[in-house]
Amino acid sequence: MLHINGPRLLDDLHALATIGATADGGVSRTALSESDRAGRAWFRQRAQDAGLRSSDDGAGNLSAVLGESGPTILTGSHLDSVPDGGRYDGALGVLCALEALRTIAEAGIDLPVRLEAISFTDEEGAVFSMLGSRALTGSLTREALASAAGMLGAAGLTPDSIVAAGRDARDYLAFVEVHVEQGTRLEQRGIDLGAVTHIVGIRDFWLTFAGQAAHSGTTSMDRRADALWGASAFVQAAKSLTMDRFSPGVVNCGSLTVTPGAHNIVPGRARLALEFRHGTAAQLDEMENAVLALADDAARQHGLTLTVEALGGVAPAALDERVIAAIETSADALGLSHTRLMSFAGHDTQNLSRFTPSAMFFVPSVGGISHNPREFTHDRDVINAGNVLLHTLLRLAEHSPQPPH
């Protein structure tokens, strides 16, 4: 059975981690920065050293390509990082893709498709979140990019070049991404791999509880319209509701501003940031109705008014069953345990899922730590990731129908 060159993949992962390395063992390769450009140049050279064609597009997406003709199977992730982040997030997916293509080329396997290992620009959103995958799938407009035009121009990108980077979905058969889990589900259960079935959607709101500012000494407790009391009651109720009715969905209240904001004044106003996540639009709708009803109840019980400002959010993505099955079959062939789960973080796969049949899989993160210099995945799990991706690509290449034209 064909296997990747594990030591070579690990060497590449360690070499890339020196580009943008921080003193505490992390990496800072924020998108379009000098270190990001250096990482891209390193990846281009590694692709060329392997005899693969390298190319980039008007959105800065950088690719290594194996094969001259036929429809394309796309695989990869991103090389950019958050400031002082970890060495595995994003980088693992790009380097596993590169290693899979090298292994296939060295084995002399002639496939009826092109394979493209891609690093998407700015997944982390230093300038424009998921810029590369949104550009490739044709979901960006010049108007949407206008606010970031100055920063993009410094890197040689323009709204026109980014919009022109959109591709024709009819040329693509599938997309596969491998990523570290950034959580503890696999590690806690001792499972080698998680096939992702959905990438959750997000709903965001500002909630404003308004009552009456008053003297904190002379206003009796039973006569207060304390906005913070209402907001606090809502936060606790939303936590209990989500855990009881909507697990594994999650809710977060990440910002709270109280005014007037003094020790001796009863809070007259509390503005609260609300976010919740779940796997389907129907679940998000049900969650939205229930959570906002709780906010209404909390306001009424404390003699407050409630204002709700919807900020939109991100649509959930259901991933492709055929690609998921190819991942699971590959894991079985390699003797690896696996389960199905949802991703509660955003990934480029959610954009690709609306463009071509797409799926992704996770390998364990030690302690679930990510976006942190302490982010770590064991070498055996890195190598497992590369081997599962290799055989997933081979299965998709051998069994995928030709795209319609």
Side-chain angles (χ1 to χ4, degrees), residues 4-335:
I4 63 163
N5 184 329
R8 179 172 61 189
L9 173 59
L10 295 174
D11 286 346
D12 277 353
L13 190 61
H14 297 321
L16 179 60
T18 67
I19 301 173
T22 59
D24 53 2
V27 295
S28 283
R29 286 194 304 270
T30 54
L32 309 182
S33 65
E34 181 178 348
S35 58
D36 184 40
R37 291 193 295 271
R40 289 164 50 82
W42 176 89
F43 175 72
R44 185 193 302 274
Q45 187 62 55
R46 292 299 283 158
Q48 292 173 350
D49 290 346
L52 304 173
R53 297 194 317 281
S54 64
S55 64
D56 55 14
D57 63 22
N61 295 318
L62 179 62
S63 297
V65 180
L66 174 64
E68 299 294 334
S69 61
T72 298
I73 295 174
L74 194 63
T75 181
S77 191
H78 60 98
L79 292 176
D80 65 295
S81 78
V82 296
D84 203 20
R87 63 174 60 189
Y88 298 88
D89 178 7
L92 177 70
V94 176
L95 297 184
C96 284
L98 174 64
E99 179 57 33
L101 267 61
R102 284 190 299 210
T103 300
I104 293 168
E106 290 168 352
I109 299 173
D110 186 19
L111 297 175
V113 300
R114 294 168 72 250
L115 297 177
E116 180 177 353
I118 190 166
S119 172
F120 291 113
T121 303
D122 198 11
E123 192 270 354
E124 298 290 4
V127 179
F128 199 97
S129 179
M130 296 189 187
L131 172 68
S133 58
R134 292 166 70 184
L136 183 147
T137 57
S139 59
L140 289 177
T141 64
R142 291 169 181 82
E143 292 73 23
L145 294 161
S147 63
M151 295 181 69
L152 294 169
L157 306 177
T158 67
D160 284 343
S161 74
I162 293 167
V163 171
R167 305 190 192 181
D168 188 340
R170 295 174 297 177
D171 296 330
Y172 291 84
L173 290 173
F175 172 72
V176 189
E177 181 175 8
V178 56
H179 207 279
V180 291
E181 184 189 355
Q182 301 176 289
T184 59
R185 292 169 293 179
L186 296 176
E187 182 184 49
Q188 287 180 338
R189 296 169 61 187
I191 296 175
D192 296 315
L193 179 146
V196 178
T197 60
H198 295 78
I199 299 177
V200 296
I202 305 172
R203 302 270 173 96
D204 293 293
F205 299 85
W206 282 111
L207 304 184
T208 302
F209 295 85
Q212 178 65 55
H215 193 295
S216 65
T218 61
T219 307
S220 63
M221 299 289 281
D222 61 344
R223 294 182 56 242
R224 299 185 183 193
D226 188 320
L228 183 56
W229 284 357
S232 301
F234 163 71
V235 171
Q236 292 300 316
K239 171 190 172 185
S240 297
L241 174 78
T242 301
M243 294 177 71
D244 292 343
R245 283 184 51 189
F246 295 106
S247 181
V250 295
V251 66
N252 187 59
C253 298
S255 175
L256 175 63
T257 303
V258 173
T259 53
H263 284 85
N264 60 349
I265 304 176
V266 173
R269 185 172 181 269
R271 188 168 188 254
L272 181 72
L274 168 67
E275 176 202 88
F276 50 87
R277 304 183 182 212
H278 220 304
T280 69
Q283 289 166 320
L284 285 169
D285 288 343
E286 184 180 355
M287 202 171 180
E288 178 176 331
N289 290 334
V291 170
L292 294 184
L294 281 184
D296 279 330
D297 289 344
R300 185 171 56 256
Q301 290 170 10
H302 290 86
L304 311 172
T305 61
L306 174 69
T307 302
V308 178
E309 179 186 355
L311 300 178
V314 177
L319 304 189
D320 184 79
E321 182 61 35
R322 181 176 59 85
V323 184
I324 293 170
I327 292 168
E328 293 175 327
T329 302
S330 298
D332 287 336
L334 291 159

